[in-house]
């Protein structure tokens, strides 16, 4: 359907020139009906309309029935079935000489009975019978004269059940006759109720009316309750009278057989749910005073005081009448005619109200006869109307099958000329096929306005109390065609009518399909979509896939665009459908009205958000009963939510502070509408760049495209203006909620949707984190969310890399690579940060250590090789840990690591060798390490006089110390110089000093040759090497005179020259030499002590040595060495200990000798005893 055709539909009469927001709209059924022939140009009007299957019957005031037949619509078009004129029938009738003044000439009623394929036609007071569909005479042209009404078909019958007979009520001048229509017409019974003008029946109960009042009939037991007058000014009707309505005699027509069967065999209704009863007399008396509803003001009309039937087809039995007296135990009055069926006591006629007394007699008489209206909204209720005259308000009253007033009243602006009910009401649990649950009452009337009288349809709900809200549809002018053209002959303003037809018919609504069908949203052309569909020439640019999809969507839209029509309106020579305004078009029009008010002079000023929220709340919780309704609800939710969001973005006010309620409501509606997030993002500048269309594009409901285009064209703000905290938080929560839907099979274009969602969410978080001032001092919540997003992995991986590079967020980029286990990219990014490339936001606090920890967990040997050696070049201590960590996933043999480090990170070789030698106690690489230490130390000494001065100063400082003093090793360790070569020298002394045991050997000669030029500077090294060569005298001389380290000299003698100048802890255990070797060394040491230049030191050191280690010395040798000038007192300690030792040894020798003699005697005595025991032995010597 083109845009022009859509505008034509909206501009039809009754649609107010635009899409309607009302509950009902008009659709043409038949236009320009030939009410009169060309030969007879007499004016005629439509009097009634009925439809059965594919046949339309229109009665006219010229006593004719125009028969139209439906022809199928063209499948390529969106229009519904078309009706063409088939025939003109003139029903039989007898000229009436008298009759009720309200009976209009012509065809008064057409009652079709599709179950038995018969029709009853009332024309000028004569009832005739016909066969459907061609209306051929039935029952041998039988007729009933003086008839005022035909109807009363049981509304409780199953509409789809197959029956061979249908009971109808024929209202004659004197009585009401029940006839069973089938293959023939059979009389059932007559009921005395003269002048009946209308009847509506539910099972055995019928509500009828004559020209004055309404009554409730039990047609099976022939009882009647008079209800209340049609006109509240009529004082001749006493409401509540009980009468027997059985005929005095039951004449039987000669051609029909009598039947005493009841009208309906349906089961009785239990009638439960009657929560209140109201006196009819009191109620009717109050109508003249314009009283309020008999219900309590706070009691809704939605059924709080109305009964709830168990089933739609329940037909109450006479027990309902009989049991009414049980609720009023104070009075009992049985009927004389039927003592077994007592009726309730009629209420007393109240006194005329004061307001009525004040009226003049002329005012109390109705100005014109009011037509009675009887409808049945539910299986146990009837709706009746009453009023004063046609120009004043009318009242609708609900009564149940007991005759009690229930619910509240309906107020009509004017007394209705015709009345129709539509819908089952929300109380009904299951709606009939094609029925709507909402209950509406439609009334036609003529109202006064500034432009004169106008004919309208007044619409209101009957099943809920909606506060008296009413809708009005103007009835098209009788002189206009469906397209608004004048016919030239204007009929009477009363030339209209309204009727509920027998069979619902599908009415085409192409607008529904145009709104709900899918259409591609092209980001490049959204600014021009308001101009309508592309021209035929531009369609050649669309690929075959899109064209095929468009055809499918168009066909799908035509299938959706349908609604059942049940109510016909005629005006002039046209018949219209009064059809429910589909949910999609009605609410779409409501949203468009709000949007239109937001634009003034082509600029956007903001919408009334409460109106959109009201639309959403109106459908919240509503469950769809069909595919069309499901899509309609989805479409309206999406359009409303999109409108609310677009208003936030496009509103002219500042976005610095979005009200919390607006943000929360918008977010909730967006999630409830489940609109494609790509559509939402097209409304936000910059974020629009993240939308991924994919090869198929973005397909949404066609009605949403105009909203997107309209707001895009009115988007004056940049992303910088929109990127305020409130808006960013809204977008973050919305996109985060969408991200949680990953994996849901119901999401169309899932790949493209989540590519877009992840990219947009990442960009929002980057913007928000960049604007957060607290991120510098501590990790902000936004930073944590950003890390969580990239750590969990994003679908838009390539786009995320681009964004993070653009925003200079290298650390976040590295985490993104980690989520994909791209170790090389992670290390590459960290290297960029460590080497100084700009990283906004930081995050890599200890980069080198992070690289080390990461490499330990990498199992790619090449990667560890590359970045481990890179780290070793930057930080040898950390880099070496990559190759030495026992938990590393890549294992390195020492020779491999050494070779690798020597080639790519020479400075780290020494650190790695230290780990092997000192950490792992692997002496295999000790010589290499010694070489590194010597190289470093000798290079420094050769190039730096300062270093040589430091060594000399350390010797002098140590010698200047007075005993007791630490060893030289302890001294230089505690007073270490913060220079690498000093540390290397300490390690060198530890290695060559024997820290790794006596089994560890190294090339002493090579080391001596290398340190020979620095022999005066490297005294401890020379001492150790002399000891290794067995040059103990030279070593002890240097210890005594070169260093003055007497304690180390003593240790040298005890240990045999091994393992000196090393830490006391962690050294390998070394076996001490024998005492003879130690005695020799102590002898060398004593000789050196005697050569100490300082006399006091010489005496003190010598006496101490002799006193502590005197057992290693021979007294004679010592005495020969002691100068004669020394006092005996100086060596008294040595002499006393020596003499004591000698005396002790002498005594020990004496005791040992005695013990040996005793042992010898014991052995000799034992030998003698053994020989005695054995006795002599004789040996023969040959």
């Amino acid at each position: 359907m083109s845009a022009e055709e859509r505008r034509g539909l909206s501009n039809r009469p009754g649609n107010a020139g635009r899409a309607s927001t009302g509950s009902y709209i008009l659709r043409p059924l038949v236009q320009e009906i030939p009410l009169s022939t060309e030969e007879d140009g007499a004016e005629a009007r439509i009097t009634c309309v009925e439809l059965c299957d594919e046949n339309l019957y229109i009665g006219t005031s010229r006593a004719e029935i125009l028969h139209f037949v439906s022809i199928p619509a063209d499948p390529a078009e969106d229009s519904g079935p078309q009706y063409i004129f088939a025939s003109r029938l003139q029903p039989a009738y007898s000229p009436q000489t008298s009759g009720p003044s309200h009976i209009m000439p012509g065809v008064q009623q057409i009652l079709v009975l599709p179950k038995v394929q018969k029709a009853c036609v009332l024309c000028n007071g004569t009832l005739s019978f016909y066969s459907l569909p061609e209306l051929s005479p039935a029952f041998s042209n039988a007729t009933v004269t003086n008839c005022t009404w035909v109807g009363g078909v049981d509304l409780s019958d199953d509409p789809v059940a197959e029956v061979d007979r249908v009971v109808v009520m024929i209202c004659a001048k004197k009585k009401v006759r029940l006839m069973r229509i089938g293959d023939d017409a059979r009389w059932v019974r007559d009921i005395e109720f003269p002048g009946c003008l209308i009847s509506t029946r539910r099972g055995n109960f019928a509500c009828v009316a004559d020209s004055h009042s309404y009554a409730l009939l039990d047609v099976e037991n022939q009882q009647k309750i008079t209800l209340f007058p049609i006109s509240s000014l009529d004082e001749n009707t006493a409401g509540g009278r009980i009468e027997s309505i059985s005929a005095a005699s039951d004449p039987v027509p000669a051609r029909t057989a009598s039947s005493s069967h009841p009208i309906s065999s349906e089961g009785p209704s239990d009638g439960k749910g009657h929560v209140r009863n109201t006196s009819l007399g009191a109620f009717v008396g109050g109508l003249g005073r314009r009283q309020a509803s008999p219900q309590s003001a706070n009691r809704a009309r939605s059924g709080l005081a109305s009964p709830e039937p168990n089933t739609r087809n329940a037909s109450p039995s006479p027990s309902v009448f009989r049991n009414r007296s049980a609720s009023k135990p104070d009075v009992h009055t049985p009927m004389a005619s039927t003592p077994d069926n007592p009726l309730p006591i009629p209420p007393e006629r109240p006194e005329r109200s004061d307001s009525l007394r004040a009226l003049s007699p002329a005012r109390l008489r109705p100005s014109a006869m009011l037509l009675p209206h009887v409808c049945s909204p539910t299986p146990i209720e009837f709706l009746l109307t009453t009023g004063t005259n046609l120009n004043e308000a009318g009242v609708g009253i609900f009564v149940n099958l007991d005759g009690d007033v229930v619910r509240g009243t309906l107020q009509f602006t004017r007394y209705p000329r015709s009345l129709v009910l539509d819908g089952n009401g929300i109380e009904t649990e299951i709606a009939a096929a094609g029925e709507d649950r909402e209950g509406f009452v439609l009334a036609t009337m003529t109202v006064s306005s500034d432009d004169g009288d106008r004919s309208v349809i007044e619409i209101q709900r009957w099943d809920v109390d909606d506060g008296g809200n009413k809708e009005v549809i103007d009835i098209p002018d009788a002189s206009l065609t469906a397209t608004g053209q004048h016919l030239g002959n204007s009929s009477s303003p009363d030339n209209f009518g309204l009727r509920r037809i027998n069979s619902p018919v599908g009415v085409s609504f192409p607008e529904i399909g145009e709104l709900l069908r899918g259409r591609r949203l092209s980001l490049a052309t959204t600014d021009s979509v308001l101009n309508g569909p592309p021209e035929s020439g531009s369609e050649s640019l669309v690929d075959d896939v899109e064209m095929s999809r468009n055809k499918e969507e168009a066909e799908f839209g035509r299938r959706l665009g349908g609604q059942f029509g049940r109510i016909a309106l005629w005006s002039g020579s046209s018949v219209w459908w009064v059809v429910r305004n589909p949910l999609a078009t009605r609410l779409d029009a409501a949203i468009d009205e709000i949007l239109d008010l937001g634009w003034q002079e082509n600029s956007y000023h903001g919408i009334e958000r409460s109106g959109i929220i009201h639309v959403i709340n109106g459908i919240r919780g509503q469950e769809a009963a069909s595919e069309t309704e499901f899509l309609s609800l989805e479409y309206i939710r999406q359009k409303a939510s999109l409108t609310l969001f677009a208003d936030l973005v496009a509103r002219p006010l500042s976005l610095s502070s979005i009200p919390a309620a607006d943000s929360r409501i918008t977010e909730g509606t967006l999630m409830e509408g489940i609109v494609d997030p790509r559509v939402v993002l097209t409304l936000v500048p910059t974020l629009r760049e993240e939308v991924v269309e994919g090869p198929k594009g973005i397909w949404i409901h066609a009605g949403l495209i105009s909203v997107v285009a309209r707001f895009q064209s009115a988007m004056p703000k940049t992303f910088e203006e929109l990127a305020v905290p409130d808006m960013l938080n809204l977008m973050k929560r919305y996109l985060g909620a969408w991200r949680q839907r990953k994996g849901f099979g119901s999401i169309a274009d899932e790949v493209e949707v989540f590519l877009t969602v992840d990219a947009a969410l990442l960009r929002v978080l980057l913007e928000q984190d960049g604007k957060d001032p607290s991120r510098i001092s501590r990790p902000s919540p936004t930073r944590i969310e950003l890390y969580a997003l990239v750590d969990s992995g994003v679908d838009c991986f390539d786009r995320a890399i681009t964004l993070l590079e653009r925003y200079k967020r290298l650390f976040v980029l590295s985490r993104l690579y980690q989520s994909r286990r791209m170790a090389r990219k992670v290390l590459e990014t960290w290297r960029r940060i460590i080497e100084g490339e700009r990283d906004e936001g930081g995050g890599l606090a200890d980069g080198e250590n992070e690289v080390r920890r990461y490499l330990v967990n990498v199992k790619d040997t090449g990667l560890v090789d590359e970045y481990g050696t890179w780290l070793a070049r930057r930080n040898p201590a950390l880099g070496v840990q990559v190759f030495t960590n026992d938990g590393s996933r890549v294992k390195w043999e020492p020779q491999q690591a050494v070779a690798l480090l020597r080639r790519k990170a020479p400075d780290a070789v020494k650190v790695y060798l230290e780990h092997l030698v000192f950490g792992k106690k692997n002496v295999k690489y000790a010589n290499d390490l010694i070489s590194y230490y010597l190289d470093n130390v000798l290079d420094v000494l050769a190039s730096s006089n300062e270093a040589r001065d430091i060594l000399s100063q350390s010797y002098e400082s140590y010698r200047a110390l007075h005993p007791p003093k630490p060893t030289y090793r302890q001294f230089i360790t505690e007073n270490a110089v913060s220079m690498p070569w000093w540390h290397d020298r300490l390690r060198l002394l530890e290695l060559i000093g024997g820290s790794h045991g006596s089994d560890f050997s190294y090339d002493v000669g090579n080391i001596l040759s290398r340190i020979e030029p620095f022999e005066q500077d490297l005294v401890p090294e020379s001492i150790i090497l002399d000891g290794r060569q067995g040059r103990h005298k030279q070593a002890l001389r240097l210890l005594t005179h070169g260093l003055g380290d007497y304690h180390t000299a003593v240790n040298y003698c005890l240990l045999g020259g091994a393992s000196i100048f090393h830490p006391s802890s962690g050294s390998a255990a070394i076996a001490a030499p024998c005492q003879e070797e130690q005695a020799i060394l102590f002898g060398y040491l004593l000789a050196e002590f005697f050569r100490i230049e300082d006399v006091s030191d010489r005496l003190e050191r010598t006496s101490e040595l002799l006193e502590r280690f005197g057992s290693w010395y021979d007294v004679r040798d010592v005495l020969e060495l002691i100068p004669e000038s020394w006092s005996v007192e100086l060596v008294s300690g040595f002499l006393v200990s020596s003499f004591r030792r000698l005396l002790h040894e002498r005594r020990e020798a004496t005791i040992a000798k005695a013990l040996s003699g005793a042992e010898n005697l014991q052995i000799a005595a034992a030998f003698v005893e053994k020989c005695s025991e054995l006795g002599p032995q004789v040996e023969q010597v040959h």
Side-chain angles (χ1 to χ4, degrees), residues 242-550:
I242 302 174
E243 305 175 46
S244 173
I245 54 176
S246 59
S249 61
D250 293 336
V252 181
R255 62 178 183 84
T256 61
S258 175
S259 175
S260 60
H261 294 290
I263 295 175
S264 175
S265 60
E266 302 288 341
S269 171
D270 57 6
K272 67 178 181 179
H274 298 272
V275 296
R276 67 170 291 164
N277 297 325
T278 305
S279 171
L280 291 173
F283 181 79
V284 175
L287 291 176
R289 299 189 297 271
R290 297 292 190 269
Q291 289 184 345
S293 166
Q295 298 278 359
S296 174
N298 62 353
R299 188 70 61 91
R301 209 168 61 225
S302 60
L304 294 177
S306 64
E308 299 181 0
N310 291 334
T311 63
R312 289 182 53 84
N313 297 328
S315 183
S317 68
S319 61
V320 177
F321 279 76
R322 294 193 295 268
N323 294 335
R324 284 190 64 220
S325 59
S327 63
K328 302 178 182 180
D330 52 342
V331 180
H332 298 273
T333 306
M335 283 185 62
S337 60
T338 55
D340 294 332
N341 297 314
L343 289 175
I345 301 303
E348 296 181 0
R349 177 72 169 176
E351 295 292 332
R352 178 187 288 187
S353 63
D354 295 337
S355 60
L356 291 178
R357 289 195 188 99
L359 297 175
S360 64
R363 180 66 181 84
L364 290 175
R365 290 193 301 270
S367 59
M369 178 179 293
L370 301 180
L371 294 176
H373 300 293
V374 180
C375 301
S376 180
T378 69
I380 57 173
E381 291 178 308
F382 295 101
L383 172 62
L384 318 175
T385 58
T386 184
T388 55
N389 58 61
L390 289 174
N391 296 323
E392 294 194 9
V395 177
I397 304 172
F398 294 89
V399 297
N400 60 18
L401 299 182
D402 290 339
D404 299 324
V405 176
V406 294
R407 300 181 183 271
T409 59
L410 297 176
Q411 302 294 328
F412 299 103
T413 305
R414 294 289 186 268
Y415 187 86
R417 296 180 179 272
S418 55
L419 191 72
V420 169
L421 294 180
D422 188 29
N424 296 312
I426 61 173
E427 305 161 8
T428 306
E429 296 182 1
I430 302 177
E435 288 280 355
D436 295 296
R437 295 195 63 178
E438 297 86 353
F440 287 91
V441 56
L442 293 80
T444 59
M445 59 190 68
T446 300
V447 297
S448 300
S449 64
D450 295 338
D451 298 330
D453 293 343
R454 61 191 182 104
S455 302
V456 299
I457 303 175
E458 186 177 83
I459 305 169
Q460 57 184 307
R461 294 288 295 271
W462 62 261
D463 55 342
V464 295
D465 186 0
D466 57 355
N469 293 329
K470 300 176 183 178
E471 302 176 20
V472 174
I473 298 178
D474 287 327
I475 297 177
D477 191 344
S479 62
L480 294 179
T481 65
T483 58
Q485 298 177 350
H486 283 274
L487 293 175
N489 54 339
S490 176
S491 302
S492 167
D494 293 339
N495 185 12
F496 59 84
L498 190 69
R499 174 174 172 77
R500 183 180 175 92
I501 64 173
N502 181 273
S503 303
V505 177
V507 181
S508 175
F509 273 88
E511 306 97 305
I512 301 178
E514 286 298 315
L515 293 175
L516 302 185
R517 60 157 293 182
R519 193 179 292 277
R520 182 172 182 175
L521 174 65
S522 176
L523 300 183
T525 59
T526 48
D527 294 337
S528 61
V529 294
L530 283 177
N531 298 326
E535 299 296 332
S536 58
S538 64
E539 290 183 359
S540 59
L541 302 177
V542 184
D543 57 20
D544 294 339
V545 175
E546 184 174 348
M547 291 178 64
S548 176
R549 176 73 181 269
N550 278 326

Side-chain angles (χ1 to χ4, degrees), residues 690-1000:
E690 311 307 327
V691 175
V692 179
E693 287 189 84
K696 295 185 295 184
I698 303 174
W699 288 82
I700 57 176
H701 292 299
L704 300 179
I705 294 182
S706 61
V707 178
V708 176
R710 172 180 279 187
F711 278 101
Q712 281 185 350
S713 63
M715 190 62 63
K717 299 178 182 177
T718 63
F719 183 69
E720 288 70 21
E721 294 176 306
L722 293 174
V724 296
D726 290 339
M727 178 58 72
L728 292 177
N729 283 328
L730 169 62
M731 294 303 302
K732 178 178 67 177
R733 292 191 299 270
Y734 170 66
L735 294 171
W738 253 101
R739 197 166 185 269
Q740 294 177 0
R741 297 171 180 260
K742 281 188 179 182
F744 287 15
S746 60
I747 298 176
D749 301 330
E750 182 177 11
V751 175
E752 290 79 11
V753 166
F754 290 111
L755 283 173
T756 302
V757 168
D758 285 353
L761 180 58
L762 177 61
R763 193 155 190 174
V764 168
L765 289 174
L766 288 172
E767 287 287 341
Q768 196 172 29
D769 186 60
K771 297 176 182 294
D772 191 349
S774 66
R775 65 186 176 89
I776 301 176
S777 59
R778 55 183 173 82
S780 63
T782 303
R783 178 76 57 84
I784 295 173
E785 293 172 342
L786 177 61
Y787 289 166
L789 173 65
V790 296
D791 291 347
S792 62
V794 294
D795 293 351
C796 59
F797 185 74
D798 294 336
R799 179 59 180 171
I801 294 174
T802 303
L803 289 175
L804 293 173
E805 291 281 5
R806 181 187 301 175
Y807 281 83
K808 303 296 182 185
R809 302 303 296 270
L810 296 183
F811 178 67
V812 183
L813 177 60
S814 71
R815 298 185 72 130
L816 177 65
Y817 287 135
Q818 288 186 66
S819 69
R820 293 287 183 97
R821 301 184 181 276
M822 302 174 66
R824 180 172 295 279
K825 288 293 185 180
V826 173
L827 293 168
E828 179 183 317
T829 307
W830 283 351
R831 181 166 63 181
R832 293 166 59 189
I833 298 173
I834 294 172
E835 291 178 348
E837 189 170 342
R838 181 182 175 186
D839 177 32
E840 291 289 345
L844 192 67
D846 188 2
E848 293 179 349
N849 208 22
E850 286 292 333
V851 172
R852 177 193 64 81
R853 285 195 292 264
Y854 192 77
L855 286 173
V856 169
N857 296 314
V858 172
K859 60 180 179 180
D860 186 340
T861 303
L863 207 56
V864 177
D865 180 336
E866 179 181 354
Y867 285 94
T869 54
W870 169 80
L871 182 60
R873 289 194 298 270
R874 289 187 57 88
N875 190 333
L878 278 178
V880 165
Q881 293 181 30
V882 175
F883 301 94
T884 61
N885 194 308
D886 293 334
S888 178
R889 301 183 68 177
V890 177
K891 304 298 182 182
W892 295 88
E893 293 296 330
Q895 60 271 22
Q896 293 178 324
V898 170
L900 179 65
L901 292 173
R902 280 177 177 168
R903 187 173 67 255
K904 295 186 176 181
D907 293 340
V909 175
K910 182 190 69 173
V911 180
Y912 183 72
L913 291 175
E914 286 178 343
H915 165 76
L916 293 177
V917 175
F918 294 105
K920 297 296 185 179
K921 305 300 180 183
N922 188 345
V923 297
K924 179 179 178 181
Y925 297 92
N927 283 318
D928 294 336
L929 186 57
I930 289 173
S931 297
Y932 270 97
Y933 288 152
L934 275 176
D935 291 342
N936 293 339
V937 174
L938 295 179
D939 288 346
V940 172
L941 293 177
S943 61
S944 174
N945 291 328
E946 182 184 359
R948 303 177 69 174
D949 293 340
I950 290 173
L951 290 176
S952 299
Q953 183 66 34
S954 69
Y955 299 148
E956 294 176 4
S957 299
Y958 183 74
R959 286 194 296 266
L961 296 176
H962 295 283
K965 60 181 180 180
T967 65
Y968 182 73
R969 166 72 186 186
Q970 293 173 336
F971 175 76
I972 61 177
T973 302
E974 293 173 358
N975 298 277
V977 180
S978 58
M979 294 181 181
W981 68 269
W982 188 272
H983 172 267
D984 292 345
R985 184 183 178 231
L986 292 178
R987 287 289 193 176
L988 176 63
L989 289 174
E990 185 176 344
L991 278 177
I992 66 177
S995 62
H996 287 72
S998 58
D999 295 336
F1000 170 57

